[in-house]
Amino acid sequence: MTDGTFGNIDALAGELRALGRLIGEAAAPAAGAACVGASGVLALTRLVRGMGPDDWFEMASRNGLSQWLALPVAEQDFPLLSHLLATLDDLAFRTEHDALTGLANANFFTRRLEKELDRVNRDGAVLSMALLSIDDLDGLTGRFGPAWAERVFMELARTMGRVKRPYDLAARLGENLFGLILPGARPHNVCAMLERLQAGLAASFACSGGDGSGNGGSGNGDATAGVSFCAGHTTCVGRISGRACDFHELATAALTQARRKGAGCIQATKLPDESFSPQATMVHSDEKKFLFSGI
Amino acid sequence: MDNKTLSVAIMSGKGGVGKTNLALNLGFCLFKGNHPVVLMDCDLGLANLDVLLGLAPDKNLQDVIDHDVPPEDILVPIEPGGFDFLPAASGVPELFEMDEDMRALLLSKLHPVFADHHYLFMDLGAGINPTVLSFASMSRVRIIVVTPEPTSLTDGYALIKVLATQRGVKDFLVVVNQVESKAEEQQTFSRLNMACEKFLGFGLTLLGSVRMDKALPESVRRQVPLMKRTPDSPAGKDLFALARKLHSLRASLLPQLAGEPVLVNFSSGTPD
Ligand SMILES: Nc1ncnc2c1ncn2[C@@H]1O[C@H](COP(=O)(O)OP(=O)(O)O)[C@@H](O)[C@H]1O
Ligand SMILES: [Mg+2]
């Protein structure tokens, strides 16, 4: 590897050798071995960025990791390794997150949805999901440019982060498609949350003078003051027959319906689970009449 | 070892219809007939069996759940020689609903206590909540207590309907409490029974009735079981007759019970 990012592969190898020597010296008294790799002693290394020895001691005592050897290394002595590590962290983050907004991405969203549905099947818990998209994006982007759309997405992501509960998941699933997984939320909870989100989004544009970044605006205040989204949501309780894709489909159908109705609409779909509707167990009026009168 | 314990859930849609008194007094009769009996207060949030007995146990089922207290330590003898009681906590909000795993864990801990007795009476709380539904569907026999009041009848029917449609439970014994006459017993039972036949597709079994009797509130005030204080009162005679029927029910079920757990696991939870 001789690309500009990590420099010469030999330089990187040099840093690794230096690290190996350091580990060998540190491990020798503890393990009674002369160097790494000899006499059946194996050192497993992982570089952890942004953590000092004190942090480690605390974490090790809390989690029973005291048999691990921690070796402080100065970042400036291993510039290439540090850079490589940062890049790996970044890649790991990017495989699960949307680059623009920092929200979870579609892959991550689907995996989490599967997990939550498993939980619902197991415990009979309640689970909701919502999909939303910004209204009239094309028309407004046409008038105010693509940068405007990005600002709206970022503001929406920030507002989602503020309005959701810590254990909800907010994700960006497509260019103009956002999703929420809301464990334990029933339709009225979802509705209330989406309304708060709607209000929060409108307010953040209103108070920043039409510019989501809050840095003075760029003359499109009138257009952005009316930012809204349509949302569709669905809820299941207990066993549901389908999988994540079916659940997703129901929310999509709700979103389509909401968009047909007009800007700012929130729509719930018919619930996939029969047991959510109490019809089956409810005592109806003919049954009551019979109990009272015998006819 | 073969199971000998008959589990009996005592339940009602509406509160205050006489479940706790029924559990206590049936238990007392059967104990006097030489059968060890354990009463379990399954109204985990609003216990009151202890109140009827004038007891104030310092440990309860909540301690078994929360603090791993062995069940023998919470078992309170009502009468020496095998009439025992498992108290529940009072003032635990319904928010603290046990989940399935927790319930299974609790019941497996309690099993040795159950196995030591011939009858396990579970005094369930009123209403339709997950705890009531699971205990009711796990017990071998269910007694649904109603009074001739229309509210009690509809609430009892609602509970039967939920258990039938959601858990597939279709066998219920009915006790009509606080009746003024035999005719009232018959009318109340047949309303409920016919509604079940007509709308749910199965019938109920009448275990019997207990007359309205001021000896009952009197025994509650004195915190002594009616069957101990005034067994010859009208309600006492009725309760004795009910106990005899349960006694022969257990005798006839014994061969089957041997091959079953004390609490049957109706774990499916799906409508059928
Ligand atoms: N057969 C009866 N005759 C008169 N009063 C009764 C009878 N059965 C129950 N009661 C009264 O109803 C009250 C409630 O009974 P209880 O057993 O505590 O009901 P539950 O457990 O269903 O809430 C008792 O205090 C008692 O005075
Ligand atoms: Mg009671």
Side-chain angles (χ1 to χ4, degrees):
Chain A
M1 200 197 322
T2 52
D3 69 31
T5 328
F6 298 114
N8 191 307
I9 191 74
D10 293 338
L12 188 59
E15 280 186 20
L16 279 169
R17 274 195 302 278
L19 186 64
R21 274 195 301 279
L22 265 180
I23 293 168
E25 281 160 23
C35 67
V36 182
S39 346
V41 175
L42 180 68
L44 300 176
T45 351
R46 169 148 189 211
L47 294 176
V48 185
R49 297 168 61 232
M51 199 165 156
D54 289 346
D55 303 317
W56 167 254
F57 289 139
E58 200 201 315
M59 188 176 144
S61 72
R62 228 184 311 117
N63 300 297
L65 300 171
S66 46
Q67 71 273 40
W68 288 84
L69 179 71
L71 181 67
V73 293
E75 194 158 349
Q76 67 267 22
D77 296 339
F78 301 95
L80 295 176
L81 265 179
S82 300
H83 185 57
L84 179 63
L85 214 55
T87 308
L88 287 175
D89 281 352
D90 185 48
L91 283 174
F93 184 83
R94 274 199 240 178
T95 55
E96 300 190 324
H97 294 80
D98 169 55
L100 176 70
T101 60
L103 295 180
N105 65 16
N107 278 333
F108 191 79
F109 185 84
T110 307
R111 276 207 304 279
R112 170 70 81 79
L113 191 58
E114 292 282 3
K115 257 192 219 147
E116 292 294 344
L117 284 171
D118 282 346
R119 205 196 308 274
V120 164
N121 278 318
R122 223 171 36 237
D123 308 343
V126 180
L127 178 68
S128 289
M129 78 165 273
L131 291 175
L132 34 123
S133 69
I134 297 292
D135 293 320
D136 191 29
L137 190 72
D138 291 348
L140 293 168
T141 318
R143 272 193 280 163
F144 304 110
W148 175 86
E150 291 202 344
R151 272 207 304 278
V152 174
F153 292 150
M154 279 152 69
E155 196 52 43
L156 176 61
R158 260 198 295 277
T159 316
M160 282 169 110
R162 219 171 41 232
V163 166
K164 78 177 185 66
R165 301 160 305 173
Y167 46 89
D168 295 331
L169 180 76
R172 186 177 184 207
L173 307 174
E175 167 69 8
N176 181 19
L177 183 64
F178 293 78
L180 280 165
I181 296 175
L182 307 156
R186 294 186 180 267
H188 65 277
N189 305 121
V190 183
C191 246
M193 181 179 296
L194 290 170
E195 278 161 14
R196 281 198 299 278
L197 185 56
Q198 192 82 272
L201 186 66
S204 59
F205 275 101
C207 70
S208 64
D211 185 319
S213 65
N215 58 12
S218 48
N220 53 15
D222 292 343
T224 51
V227 166
S228 68
F229 59 77
C230 276
H233 59 97
T234 187
T235 302
C236 67
V237 180
R239 279 155 236 267
I240 68 158
S241 43
R243 298 287 339 146
C245 51
D246 304 306
F247 200 48
H248 211 292
E249 227 164 73
L250 280 164
T252 308
L255 178 60
T256 311
Q257 250 177 302
R259 294 173 74 158
R260 217 174 283 140
K261 279 194 187 165
C265 271
I266 295 171
Q267 174 74 41
T269 29
K270 204 180 138 281
L271 303 158
D273 182 69
E274 277 297 302
S275 72
F276 190 74
S277 132
Q279 284 302 315
T281 58
M282 209 189 285
V283 177
H284 301 291
S285 82
D286 52 340
E287 293 169 285
K288 274 191 193 157
K289 261 188 237 150
F290 187 89
L291 285 165
F292 299 158
S293 65
I295 40 167
Chain B
M1 203 184 67
D2 285 353
N3 173 39
K4 292 193 182 64
T5 314
L6 178 70
S7 52
V8 183
I10 302 196
M11 57 191 190
S12 72
K14 190 176 177 287
V17 297
K19 290 181 298 298
T20 305
N21 276 288
L22 187 69
L24 178 60
N25 288 297
L26 288 180
F28 191 87
C29 292
L30 291 161
F31 166 69
K32 283 292 170 191
N34 285 324
H35 292 280
V37 174
V38 58
L39 305 181
M40 178 173 170
D41 199 332
C42 296
D43 196 344
L44 297 181
L46 282 174
N48 52 30
L49 247 173
D50 51 344
V51 183
L52 288 194
L53 292 164
L55 299 170
D58 57 345
K59 288 199 180 74
N60 56 57
L61 289 166
Q62 201 68 40
D63 295 294
V64 178
I65 297 169
D66 292 344
H67 305 117
D68 249 337
V69 171
E72 311 84 74
D73 289 9
I74 67 157
L75 196 69
V76 181
I78 303 172
E79 296 281 327
F83 190 23
D84 299 316
F85 158 52
L86 288 166
S90 267
V92 177
E94 260 197 59
L95 261 184
F96 186 81
E97 247 330 319
M98 279 195 283
D99 61 27
E100 246 175 76
D101 297 338
M102 174 94 79
R103 217 174 283 127
L105 181 68
L106 175 66
L107 294 176
S108 73
K109 285 186 183 175
L110 295 177
H111 185 265
V113 171
F114 297 162
D116 262 358
H117 297 81
H118 287 180
Y119 292 89
L120 161 64
F121 281 100
M122 301 194 289
D123 180 19
L124 302 191
I128 303 177
N129 59 55
T131 302
V132 165
L133 294 178
S134 351
F135 282 131
S137 52
M138 284 187 301
S139 67
R140 190 62 180 72
V141 167
R142 281 153 285 279
I143 296 179
I144 181 131
V145 184
V146 292
T147 69
E149 280 179 28
T151 41
S152 151
L153 211 55
T154 33
D155 293 353
Y157 175 79
L159 180 56
I160 293 173
K161 185 168 182 180
V162 175
L163 276 164
T165 48
Q166 227 180 55
R167 311 276 172 134
V169 178
K170 294 184 175 167
D171 57 315
F172 298 89
L173 299 174
V174 177
V175 168
V176 188
N177 192 19
Q178 301 178 21
V179 299
E180 298 285 4
S181 63
K182 201 78 186 162
E184 205 174 36
E185 167 204 286
Q186 285 303 320
Q187 199 206 359
T188 306
F189 174 72
S190 79
R191 282 279 160 80
L192 189 60
N193 184 41
M194 277 157 67
C196 288
E197 282 176 348
K198 184 172 156 87
F199 297 104
L200 307 178
F202 62 88
L204 307 171
T205 307
L206 178 65
L207 191 67
S209 61
V210 181
R211 275 167 282 179
M212 179 73 101
D213 185 345
K214 56 184 186 318
L216 230 141
E218 190 53 34
S219 72
V220 170
R221 264 192 295 279
R222 293 181 187 246
Q223 297 183 303
V224 177
L226 176 115
M227 290 313 290
K228 187 172 184 178
R229 225 177 66 86
T230 49
D232 291 329
S233 60
K237 288 182 177 144
D238 294 341
L239 286 159
F240 187 74
L242 294 180
R244 286 185 74 114
K245 286 195 187 170
L246 267 186
H247 182 266
S248 37
L249 179 65
R250 176 172 174 274
S252 68
L253 283 175
L254 263 181
Q256 282 179 49
L257 289 184
E260 293 172 358
V262 179
L263 294 169
V264 191
N265 199 4
F266 275 87
S267 64
S268 76
T270 40
D272 64 350

